[in-house]
């Protein structure tokens, strides 16, 4: 975009896999593609030259950020309106994945030339500029928003100590607070072999509803809690909250060796835990998986919870949908009853057909992004209820590379070795899926997909 006051040209440049950058464009300037990603060396074989082929110096971005803050920059405009005087003359930009909006700081600290203005919770696809210089945000979900002056600034009321959040028992921080409701999806998400326990907490007197697609819609003030164990030890607890303004945000806590306290990890962390590589996701990465298109609260949908759970408080086993309806969680009440509603199969179990278990696996592990209005450029729709022929995968040539496989397809019926869906699931490099937060291949899941595709006779 051009600055209407100075004529300067600005660009938001989406990175490859590590950095997003903002460039102020000069005529004939060389910004380092493809030697660099931001100021980082992208192609080590090039030895990261500092000049272009004509000897011209490579130009650094004026601002950049990594995966702590987002994953896909959306360029904006230099603000020339009057409603927000503090922003006049500053370049505003956003991030499609994290929903953050930033302003360029004209006197920057190196590589940190941005100020976070707000967390919108939107999938920021574009900005627009009115004739009066005021700025608008285009949400990929289909709405338009105007930037206005607000008091305060970016606030973060979430405590650093898990015990201070109110989500744990006051007598044993390893146990959930009274009132949290346990749940377990029929088709659990793969988390590098970790065992997980999950709870939901709704504000007093509040209820949830079930949308037409089966997704739960929670009120503001809802908190979802997930605890991860490796080798029987707590390693991480994540909170996913719907704040009073209606926006969702995720936070993660790392347990100490003594299992007596968990401390918030800000900005994410990758480290060794219990003998394996482990990712504590950043706030931006939480929203990268918990997409707006998928309703944010993954796993909490009718087909996922239409199954039995043994409730620790009573020792009784009951259907989760029926139980939640009986204790007044749903408004309106559950209809039809659980026995007449679909239920996802357990991908790791034996109930259901091979196709039902494979499609449940893809729904849980892939469809949060690969669905209509999802956060990827791919047209794939891997939701369990989408017919195979309508998923845009069966006998479809992959758009994002064939991994060197001759005659590759996303799903090649009868040929798992030509199916990049399987091959990507079986990798943990830059071409692997999922693209973040996993370091261990789900061998059982890969085998399930191979068996399913082997027996496919067509689309």
């Amino acid at each position: 975009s051009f600055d209407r006051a100075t004529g300067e040209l600005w660009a938001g440049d989406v990175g490859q896999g590590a950095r997003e950058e903002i460039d102020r464009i000069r005529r004939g300037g060389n910004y380092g593609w493809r030697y660099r990603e931001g100021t980082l060396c992208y192609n080590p074989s090039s030895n990261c030259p500092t000049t272009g082929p004509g000897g011209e110096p490579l130009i650094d971005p004026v601002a950049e950020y990594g995966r702590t803050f987002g994953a896909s920059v959306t360029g904006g405009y230099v603000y020339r309106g009057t409603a927000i005087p503090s922003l006049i003359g500053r370049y505003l930009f956003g991030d499609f994945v994290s929903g953050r909006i930033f302003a360029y700081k004209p006197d920057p600290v190196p590589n940190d030339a941005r100020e976070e203005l707000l967390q919108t919770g939107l999938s920021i696809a574009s900005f627009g500029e009115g004739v009066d210089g005021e700025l608008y945000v285009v949400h990929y979900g289909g709405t338009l928003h105007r930037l206005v002056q607000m008091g305060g600034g970016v606030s973060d009321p979430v405590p650093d100590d898990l015990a201070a959040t109110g989500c744990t028992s006051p007598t044993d921080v390893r146990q959930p607070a009274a009132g949290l409701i346990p749940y377990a999806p029929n088709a659990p998400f793969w988390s590098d072999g970790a065992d997980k326990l999950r709870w939901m907490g709704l504000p007093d007197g509040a209820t949830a509803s079930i949308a037409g697609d089966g997704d739960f819609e929670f009120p503001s003030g809802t908190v979802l809690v997930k605890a991860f164990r490796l080798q029987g030890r707590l390693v991480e607890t994540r909170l996913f909250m719907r704040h009073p303004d209606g926006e969702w945000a995720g936070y993660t806590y790392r347990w100490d060796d003594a299992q007596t306290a968990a401390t918030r990890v800000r900005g994410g962390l990758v480290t060794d835990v219990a003998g394996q590589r482990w990712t504590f996701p950043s706030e931006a990465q939480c929203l990268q998986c918990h997409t707006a298109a998928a309703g944010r609260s993954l796993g909490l949908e009718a087909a996922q919870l239409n199954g039995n759970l043994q409730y620790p408080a009573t020792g009784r086993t009951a259907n989760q949908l029926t139980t939640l309806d009986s204790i007044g969680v749903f408004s309106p009440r559950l209809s039809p009853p659980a026995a007449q509603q679909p239920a996802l199969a357990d991908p790791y179990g034996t109930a259901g057909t091979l196709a039902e278990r494979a499609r449940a696996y893809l729904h849980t592990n892939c469809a949060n992004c690969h669905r209509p209005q999802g956060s990827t450029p791919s047209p794939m729709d891997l939701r369990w209820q989408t017919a195979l022929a309508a998923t845009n995968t069966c006998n479809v040539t992959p758009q994002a590379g064939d991994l060197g496989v001759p005659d590759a397809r996303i799903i090649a019926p009868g040929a798992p070795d030509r199916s990049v869906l399987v091959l990507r699931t079986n990798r943990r490099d830059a071409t692997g899926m999922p693209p973040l937060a996993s370091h261990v291949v789900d061998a059982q899941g890969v085998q399930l997909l191979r068996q399913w595709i082997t027996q496919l006779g067509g689309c």
Side-chain angles (χ1 to χ4, degrees):
S1 66
F2 289 96
D3 181 348
R4 62 166 60 186
T6 68
E8 285 188 304
L9 179 60
W10 294 75
D13 184 2
V14 176
Q16 176 68 24
R19 306 294 283 180
E20 308 299 308
E21 68 179 86
I22 299 298
D23 294 305
R24 189 157 42 190
I25 305 302
R26 305 175 192 170
R27 185 189 301 271
N30 188 329
Y31 294 83
W33 190 90
R34 60 188 294 272
Y35 296 147
R36 297 193 300 179
E37 185 179 4
T39 55
L40 301 180
C41 176
Y42 173 67
N43 186 359
S45 64
S46 69
N47 297 318
C48 290
T50 58
T51 60
E56 72 278 12
L58 302 185
I59 301 172
D60 286 339
V62 298
E64 63 178 335
Y65 62 91
R67 291 301 176 261
T68 295
F69 297 96
S72 180
V73 69
T74 300
Y77 289 85
V78 175
Y79 181 72
R80 295 298 178 185
T82 59
I84 314 176
S86 63
L87 295 181
I88 294 175
R90 301 177 67 185
Y91 178 76
L92 271 64
F93 58 100
D95 189 89
F96 178 83
V97 172
S98 70
R100 288 176 161 92
I101 292 179
F102 306 96
Y104 168 68
K105 295 188 293 188
D107 297 310
V109 176
N111 300 334
D112 192 27
R114 53 175 166 68
E115 175 188 358
E116 183 177 340
L117 299 180
L118 71 158
Q119 165 60 262
T120 67
L122 306 175
S123 297
I124 301 174
S126 185
F127 286 83
E129 185 181 31
V131 293
D132 57 0
E134 301 304 329
L135 296 186
Y136 297 80
V137 175
V138 181
H139 171 41
Y140 192 67
T143 54
L144 188 67
H145 306 259
R146 182 166 59 91
L147 289 175
V148 298
Q149 179 71 59
M150 295 288 287
V154 177
S155 61
D156 187 355
V158 180
D160 286 334
D161 184 359
L162 180 62
T165 65
C167 295
T168 63
S169 167
T171 58
D172 186 351
V173 71
R174 296 168 296 182
Q175 299 299 319
L180 289 182
I181 305 168
Y183 72 94
N186 290 336
F189 185 84
W190 168 253
S191 295
D192 285 6
D195 296 318
K196 291 173 285 188
L197 293 174
R198 309 164 185 83
W199 301 269
M200 69 180 83
L202 278 66
D204 290 344
T207 58
S209 60
I210 302 178
D213 61 358
D215 207 30
F216 289 9
E217 296 181 342
F218 288 103
S220 296
T222 295
V223 181
L224 308 177
V225 183
K226 186 187 297 183
F228 297 75
R229 291 179 181 269
L230 286 172
Q231 301 176 18
R233 296 178 59 82
L234 280 166
V235 296
E236 181 181 4
T237 294
R238 295 178 190 170
L239 307 182
F240 198 55
M241 303 179 178
R242 191 169 194 185
H243 286 296
D245 61 2
E247 301 299 341
W248 287 93
Y251 310 92
T252 186
Y253 292 79
R254 182 182 184 182
W255 283 89
D256 62 12
D257 292 339
Q259 304 277 277
T260 57
T263 303
R264 183 176 164 190
V265 177
R266 295 174 181 267
L269 174 68
V270 179
T271 187
D272 291 332
V273 174
Q276 68 182 63
R277 207 68 174 153
W278 187 262
T279 292
F280 295 86
S282 70
E283 293 82 353
Q285 287 174 326
C286 290
L287 295 181
Q288 192 170 349
C289 286
H290 289 266
T291 64
R296 297 296 189 194
S297 58
L298 306 181
L300 286 151
E301 48 189 317
Q304 281 279 32
L305 267 62
N306 192 4
N308 288 341
L309 177 70
Q310 185 179 53
Y311 289 89
T314 62
R316 297 175 61 186
T317 297
N319 180 277
Q320 295 180 84
L321 288 182
T322 302
T323 299
L324 293 172
D325 188 50
S326 298
I327 63 177
V329 168
F330 297 136
S331 180
R333 297 290 300 273
L334 183 68
S335 180
Q340 298 177 25
Q341 296 205 28
L344 279 182
D346 178 359
Y348 307 104
T350 56
T353 67
L354 182 60
E356 288 170 342
R357 288 186 281 120
R359 292 301 304 274
Y361 184 89
L362 294 174
H363 178 84
T364 296
N365 291 279
C366 308
N368 52 333
C369 294
H370 291 295
R371 63 169 60 207
Q373 299 185 344
S375 57
T376 74
S378 166
M380 288 191 292
D381 182 2
L382 294 177
R383 295 175 297 173
W384 67 272
Q385 63 269 61
T386 303
L388 177 60
T391 60
N392 298 312
T393 63
C394 193
N395 265 332
V396 172
T397 302
Q399 296 179 349
D402 58 13
L403 304 179
V405 175
D407 197 25
R409 298 291 185 268
I410 298 176
I411 292 177
D417 291 330
R418 290 196 294 115
S419 302
V420 297
L421 182 144
V422 174
L423 302 178
R424 290 188 185 278
T425 306
N426 198 32
R427 302 169 75 124
R428 286 300 181 268
D429 55 14
T431 64
M433 285 291 167
L436 58 86
S438 178
H439 306 274
V440 180
V441 169
D442 181 5
Q444 191 174 351
V446 170
Q447 182 62 19
L448 170 67
L449 296 178
R450 289 186 62 86
Q451 291 174 344
W452 171 57
I453 291 174
T454 297
Q455 60 83 45
L456 283 177
C459 300

